[in-house]
Amino acid sequence: MALIVQKFGGTSVGSVERIEQVAEKIKKFRDGGDDIVVVVSAMSGETNRLIDLAKQISDQPVARELDVMVSTGEQVTIALLAMALIKRGVPAVSFTGNQVRILTDSAHTKARILQIDSQRIQRELKAGRVVVVAGFQGVDGKGNITTLGRGGSDTTGVALAAALKADECQIYTDVDGVYTTDPRVVAKARRLDKITFEEMLEMASLGSKVLQIRAVEFAGKYSVPLRVLHSFQEGPGTLITLDEEESMEQPIISGIAFNRDEAKLTIRGVPDTPGVAFKILGPISAANVEVDMIVQNVAHDNTTDFTFTVHRNDYNSALQILQTIANEMGAREVIGDTDIAKVSIVGVGMRSHAGVASRMFEALAKENINIQMISTSEIKVSVVIEEKYLELAVRALHTAFELDAPAAKTAE
Ligand code: ADP
Ligand code: ASP
Ligand code: MG
């Protein structure tokens, strides 16, 4: 008998009918003899609706209260799913994050899980019940409700699987696995049978929202067998694996990720003296603004240009800070651009292949797409381009790295 943690995302529980379908599916697993812990998200659109409500009161709602509110979305679905299971004769019980003590730090809206007290869940499992746990939420040491950041139910699922030493964590969603790139953008994207944790981590952190980054981190750290599957279609899904050798047929590039959430800032004509980068980025990080890519140009006339990217939500505050710095340093001007996107190619196969980046640049050049910034690591190359070319760029790279599926395919 296996212990399986199953997480169902927002679309999979998006209506009463779907919740009934999910209950049917869980019943089948139970009838097969497995112990099941289920984690559910809020019904699709619900978290956004709640955030919009808060924004009608204040542009920047108090984070503690925002968490009290957005956590209610998941509370509705756990109860509905437990009811649907009980109606089918499957003993079930629902719990909020607080009730099973998913202990987090106090960083409201982006809390990290510190510890899970699995005893309560173990007792319920022993008593023969399916345990339904609210995703995305926890409680801090002082009893405040916290949430884990958008997409956080994935992390709840993986963390529970780690705490319970489950045999597998299954992430059920509206696509039948992890693809070479978002199948909603590239019709020729291919489902991967396997992907390494390292690659999945890069894909997630570079914009593929199929799994939350922290869920992948957790799964890697605690060696949780993790699989992404379609909620309502049969299929093997995608296994996230520790073993590089095991991963696929070792293509150079496993996937292409992209991100439209960044903005670019440039301070021009700053004096080229030691400490410039610190003078510019010190105040930015002091304001809690995270910087992603950074480029400093080669100086001429003893001045240089300095460019970096931040999350689009932080663009206005970063721009203001930069204006002040520019005045203090006697820089020539500050310019900003929000119409940018980042495209990244990811693959452990890059380690053993030279010329991957130039192949990427060649493919973009052929489409006349200008590269504004570049950054590389051992297993990825990222470029910043004009946002309007994003889809063209992703498709061109998908073809250039021979990732296209033989026949056109659509998701769902
Ligand atoms: P859920 O509500 O189930 O958590 P999400 O919307 O968070 O679902 O994640 C699933 C979505 O992730 C898919 O519908 C797909 O559009 C998107 N996605 C982005 N990149 C990929 C990828 N490489 N493979 C599969 N899906 C991806
Ligand atoms: N409901 C939360 C969100 O929309 C958490 C999740 O779905 O994973 O971000
Ligand atoms: Mg999600």
Side-chain angles (χ1 to χ4, degrees):
M1 198 169 71
L3 169 58
I4 304 172
V5 175
Q6 303 185 323
K7 178 259 170 178
F8 290 88
T11 353
S12 313
V13 293
S15 64
V16 166
E17 292 71 31
R18 293 217 168 150
I19 291 175
E20 302 256 22
Q21 260 178 288
V22 168
E24 277 301 325
K25 188 180 181 92
I26 295 168
K27 183 178 178 339
K28 277 200 197 114
F29 273 94
R30 272 272 311 190
D31 291 348
D34 291 333
D35 275 342
I36 311 282
V37 173
V38 192
V39 173
V40 280
S41 292
M43 296 168 85
S44 57
E46 182 61 9
T47 309
N48 287 342
R49 187 186 72 84
L50 292 168
I51 292 171
D52 286 348
L53 269 182
K55 293 244 156 108
Q56 288 176 38
I57 300 273
S58 158
D59 270 352
Q60 294 202 305
V62 183
R64 183 193 180 278
E65 305 311 326
L66 192 60
D67 277 353
V68 170
M69 189 175 61
V70 294
S71 65
T72 61
E74 272 72 13
Q75 191 167 340
V76 171
T77 36
I78 53 170
L80 288 172
L81 181 58
M83 289 173 200
L85 287 165
I86 292 164
K87 184 170 92 176
R88 285 168 175 77
V90 179
V93 58
S94 73
F95 291 115
T96 63
N98 186 11
Q99 285 174 308
V100 283
R101 282 205 61 84
I102 297 181
L103 185 70
T104 71
D105 61 19
S106 301
H108 286 289
T109 77
K110 46 176 187 284
R112 278 180 184 272
I113 296 178
L114 302 174
Q115 200 188 321
I116 295 179
D117 175 11
S118 54
Q119 282 183 8
R120 178 104 190 236
I121 298 176
Q122 302 278 20
R123 273 206 305 277
E124 297 294 342
L125 288 173
K126 264 207 188 104
R129 296 191 187 96
V130 169
V131 180
V132 187
V133 180
F136 178 54
Q137 55 178 262
V139 62
D140 74 2
K142 291 184 178 152
N144 298 300
I145 295 173
T146 55
T147 63
L148 309 178
R150 299 307 304 268
S153 299
D154 296 335
T155 304
T156 307
V158 175
L160 276 173
L164 294 162
K165 301 192 173 54
D167 294 288
E168 186 163 277
C169 180
Q170 303 173 340
I171 305 285
Y172 287 99
T173 184
D174 55 5
V175 280
D176 64 350
V178 177
Y179 276 67
T180 45
T181 191
D182 189 340
R184 301 194 195 282
V185 171
V186 178
K188 289 179 186 161
R190 259 188 311 119
R191 183 182 58 79
L192 300 167
D193 284 323
K194 287 173 180 170
I195 183 167
T196 66
F197 279 110
E198 208 181 354
E199 288 170 323
M200 193 63 237
L201 203 58
E202 287 283 4
M203 291 282 280
S205 67
L206 294 168
S208 302
K209 67 168 186 169
V210 60
L211 283 173
Q212 201 199 30
I213 307 171
R214 284 185 189 166
V216 187
E217 274 171 8
F218 240 104
K221 191 165 163 195
Y222 296 100
S223 305
V224 177
L226 183 63
R227 197 180 282 278
V228 176
L229 301 133
H230 196 289
S231 295
F232 307 117
Q233 290 169 14
E234 291 300 318
T238 300
L239 181 69
I240 325 294
T241 164
L242 272 173
D243 190 354
E244 265 182 36
E245 296 305 305
E246 240 184 56
S247 145
M248 298 252 322
E249 57 276 11
Q250 286 287 309
I252 302 170
I253 297 303
S254 295
I256 300 169
F258 52 86
N259 180 349
R260 301 173 204 262
D261 294 337
E262 290 189 20
K264 190 177 76 165
L265 294 133
T266 302
I267 178 165
R268 299 183 63 183
V270 285
D272 185 39
T273 51
V276 172
F278 177 64
K279 266 192 206 142
I280 297 170
L281 295 180
I284 299 279
S285 85
N288 246 332
V289 172
E290 240 175 81
V291 171
D292 181 24
M293 287 163 99
I294 304 171
V295 170
Q296 182 179 338
N297 290 1
V298 174
H300 60 98
D301 306 334
N302 290 324
T303 69
T304 186
D305 298 342
F306 194 92
T307 304
F308 58 93
T309 63
V310 297
H311 195 283
R312 249 180 236 185
N313 291 345
D314 293 327
Y315 174 70
N316 285 327
S317 45
L319 191 60
Q320 266 180 17
I321 296 168
L322 210 55
Q323 300 278 16
T324 313
I325 300 169
N327 289 338
E328 284 169 13
M329 295 176 81
R332 198 169 338 122
E333 63 175 335
V334 171
I335 45 179
D337 187 355
T338 52
D339 297 328
I340 58 152
K342 185 167 77 174
V343 185
S344 311
I345 54 174
V346 174
V348 289
M350 248 185 245
R351 285 198 188 111
S352 49
H353 283 81
V356 177
S358 68
R359 194 159 151 199
M360 178 185 200
F361 305 152
E362 184 188 10
L364 295 173
K366 269 193 194 147
E367 299 295 339
N368 252 325
I369 299 171
N370 188 40
I371 299 172
Q372 303 178 5
M373 298 172 91
I374 300 168
S375 90
T376 63
S377 81
E378 218 191 355
I379 66 161
K380 70 121 205 268
V381 183
S382 298
V383 296
V384 168
I385 59 170
E386 216 180 317
E387 186 179 4
K388 68 177 180 198
Y389 296 124
L390 175 62
E391 299 197 359
L392 175 62
V394 176
R395 277 196 296 269
L397 293 170
H398 203 267
T399 305
F401 285 99
E402 294 162 13
L403 295 173
D404 289 353
K409 210 181 200 178
T410 43
E412 231 179 340

